[in-house]
Amino acid sequence: MRVSFYLIGKIKEDYILEGISKYKTLLRPFCDVEICFFDDVTYKKEPSEKEIINGLDKEAESVLSKIDQQDLLILCDLHGRSLDSIELANYINSEKNNKSRIKIVIGSSYGLSDKLRRRADLCLKLSDLTFVHPMCLLLMMEQIYRVFKINSNQTYHK
């Protein structure tokens, strides 16, 4: 199985890059890992709602060009469902026969386009707290590692 993590924007924090490297290594026995970065739209100082929507749609189009019908698309989305780790593990386990790859998308600081939400198989809310978006990438890598450990009945979860 291949798991792709898509981040709209860049990572500037060294400690997050170190964590990503660690989880790429931990995930290797379970899956091929791909991390892709997409350019985020640059706005003027106070963008209008229409400008933001247009920018999010532009970001979405670049991401959607890399998504196939057989991909399981999971969005990290403020407006998504809250799941615990076991529920996420069960969800991914139930979908693994229907989908050939997992693609996880973390949006830019303005969020995600409705174009991505309409295509998504799961919109997942990580927390009510606000995180820098690269931190969401690291959190999702940890959770996917946890999912694989749960689904293979290996210790780590607790």
Side-chain angles (χ1 to χ4, degrees):
M1 174 167 279
R2 183 176 190 87
V3 179
S4 300
F5 297 90
Y6 291 174
L7 178 70
I8 300 172
K10 302 288 182 232
I11 299 175
K12 299 172 187 163
E13 302 86 354
D14 288 339
Y15 69 95
I16 293 177
L17 290 169
E18 289 173 26
I20 288 168
S21 178
K22 174 186 175 179
Y23 280 101
K24 277 179 82 170
T25 301
L26 290 171
L27 281 163
R28 269 194 207 116
F30 300 102
C31 63
D32 293 324
V33 177
E34 173 187 41
I35 299 176
C36 296
F37 299 96
F38 294 83
D39 291 334
D40 54 345
V41 171
T42 302
Y43 299 96
K44 64 182 184 184
K45 189 171 185 164
E46 303 260 345
S48 69
E49 185 175 334
K50 183 177 181 177
E51 289 170 322
I52 293 170
I53 290 169
N54 289 338
L56 293 176
D57 286 347
K58 183 177 178 182
E59 292 169 353
E61 288 166 12
S62 63
V63 171
L64 287 168
S65 72
K66 304 293 184 187
I67 307 293
D68 295 326
Q69 198 59 31
Q70 68 272 18
D71 295 335
L72 176 64
L73 180 59
I74 299 173
L75 303 182
C76 295
D77 188 9
L78 173 66
H79 307 291
R81 291 174 37 198
S82 293
L83 299 178
D84 65 28
S85 297
I86 292 176
E87 290 170 323
L88 181 59
N90 289 336
Y91 175 79
I92 289 175
N93 195 44
S94 71
E95 292 294 322
K96 72 181 179 190
N97 294 326
N98 302 327
K99 305 288 184 170
S100 60
R101 294 176 299 253
I102 299 172
K103 297 197 176 172
I104 298 167
V105 177
I106 296 102
S108 64
S109 59
Y110 283 97
L112 294 162
S113 167
D114 285 336
K115 289 182 177 184
L116 277 168
R117 287 188 187 99
R118 284 190 293 273
R119 167 54 185 89
D121 297 293
L122 174 65
C123 291
L124 182 65
K125 182 177 184 175
L126 294 180
S127 174
D128 286 330
L129 299 172
T130 302
F131 300 105
V132 293
H133 290 246
M135 181 66 74
C136 294
L137 170 59
L138 181 57
L139 290 170
M140 278 308 300
M141 290 182 78
E142 190 280 336
Q143 283 301 300
I144 294 301
Y145 175 66
R146 187 176 298 272
V147 160
F148 281 113
K149 295 292 270 188
I150 290 168
N151 286 340
S152 61
N153 295 315
Q154 295 182 18
T155 58
Y156 172 77
H157 176 56
K158 294 190 178 207

